[in-house]
């Protein structure tokens, strides 16, 4: 891997609750920075002022109709993309983003029954063709993930869902990875944090070597 020339690279981290995305985001960004790559860490829902405002509505209020909920996620994402992600990529900065559009398909589609056609239309409008260069899917049996997530204290609206919901979310992430193997790499999130970072570094080196 070489330091970036021209446009940055867009890396997203996806997975269910307690999969270790935040830990990996920190360690992966630190490793990229050590290679001399300019890097920005961000997360969804949020990552821009308007998107952070929508985040608190999404995590603390509801229930929502699934389409309305997906629209709120995509509204936040659009702000995030336009104000934070795209300017960074254009400035040659690599973006490491904790959750992106695949989370809306996994949670609102897999978890809550949002029709695929609704996701496609919202994604078409909000993303305008932008897609991650690489998506790392952190895979973990839902019971283990929930044990970790609930151990952290206050559960949000999504974490309070039952294990059937979290199983559907996991299956949806794995289906995305199977459908788009060129973009997605599945990492075993039950492994130790150092091993997860090693696997992530291998995926980045193998797939994003030539800017
Ligand atoms: P957060 O506390 O950031 O959880 P995590 O550390 O697991 O990412 O809360 C974000 C929650 O929002 C998470 O439970 C998943 C949910 N979510 C969706 O349902 N749809 C989406 O499109 C996104 C981005 C997140």
């Amino acid at each position: 891997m070489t330091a970036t020339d021209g446009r940055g690279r867009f890396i997203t981290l996806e997975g269910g609750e307690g999969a270790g995305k935040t830990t990996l985001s920190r360690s992966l960004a630190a490793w990229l920075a050590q290679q001399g790559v300019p890097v920005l860490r961000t997360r969804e829902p949020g990552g821009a002022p308007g998107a952070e405002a929508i985040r608190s509505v999404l995590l603390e209020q509801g229930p929502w109709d699934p389409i309305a909920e997906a629209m709120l996620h995509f509204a936040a994402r659009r702000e995030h993309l336009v104000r934070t992600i795209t300017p960074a990529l254009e400035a040659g900065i690599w973006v490491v983003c904790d959750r992106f559009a695949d989370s809306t398909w996994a949670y609102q589609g897999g978890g809550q029954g949002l029709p695929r056609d609704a996701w496609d239309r919202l994604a078409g409008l909000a993303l305008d063709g932008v897609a991650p260069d690489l998506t790392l899917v952190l895979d973990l049996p839902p019971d283990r993930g929930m044990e970790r997530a609930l151990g952290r204290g206050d559960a949000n609206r999504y974490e309070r869902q039952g294990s059937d919901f979290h199983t559907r979310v996991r299956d949806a992430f794995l289906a995305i990875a199977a459908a788009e193997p060129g973009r997605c790499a599945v990492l075993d999130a039950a492994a130790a944090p150092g091993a997860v970072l090693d696997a992530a570094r291998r995926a980045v080196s193998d797939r994003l070597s030539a800017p």
Side-chain angles (χ1 to χ4, degrees):
M1 191 175 54
T2 60
T4 188
D5 60 89
R7 201 177 162 79
R9 293 290 178 270
F10 184 23
I11 302 172
T12 58
L13 309 184
E14 296 281 10
E17 308 298 331
K21 295 185 307 304
T22 307
T23 303
L24 178 62
S25 159
R26 273 195 211 106
S27 59
L28 184 62
W31 172 70
L32 286 168
Q34 276 165 17
Q35 317 297 304
V37 174
V39 58
L40 171 74
R41 275 183 66 215
T42 186
R43 61 103 195 251
E44 292 202 346
E52 291 290 334
I54 296 171
R55 175 188 173 88
S56 54
V57 168
L58 276 164
L59 295 193
E60 288 154 30
Q61 292 168 49
W64 303 98
D65 163 81
I67 292 180
E69 186 161 337
M71 289 172 98
L72 286 170
H73 278 292
F74 272 111
R77 181 163 302 125
R78 175 78 188 167
E79 281 293 310
H80 188 204
L81 195 60
V82 167
R83 301 194 189 281
T84 306
I85 296 172
T86 300
L89 294 172
E90 282 173 355
I93 296 166
W94 289 40
V95 174
V96 175
C97 185
D98 187 336
R99 298 195 181 284
F100 194 63
D102 294 324
S103 276
T104 306
W105 179 242
Y107 281 79
Q108 279 65 55
Q112 298 173 329
L114 177 80
R116 179 69 200 192
D117 164 60
W119 186 95
D120 286 341
R121 287 155 71 191
L122 293 171
L125 187 64
L127 306 185
D128 206 13
V130 175
D133 297 298
L134 173 64
T135 295
L136 302 172
V137 176
L138 276 68
D139 182 55
L140 189 67
D143 291 350
R144 290 214 39 200
M146 287 312 296
E147 217 174 85
R148 289 185 189 169
L150 297 177
R152 292 192 297 235
D154 272 2
N156 71 38
R157 223 158 52 74
Y158 300 102
E159 289 164 344
R160 289 196 294 269
Q161 298 290 322
S163 71
D164 284 2
F165 174 91
H166 293 290
T167 299
R168 292 197 301 277
V169 168
R170 180 198 198 184
D171 291 348
F173 278 127
L174 291 175
I176 292 166
E180 292 185 67
R183 172 172 69 88
C184 302
V186 178
L187 309 185
D188 174 14
V196 178
L197 174 61
D198 282 347
R201 284 171 15 180
R202 271 197 302 279
V204 170
S205 301
D206 290 351
R207 293 162 183 247
L208 299 184
S209 51

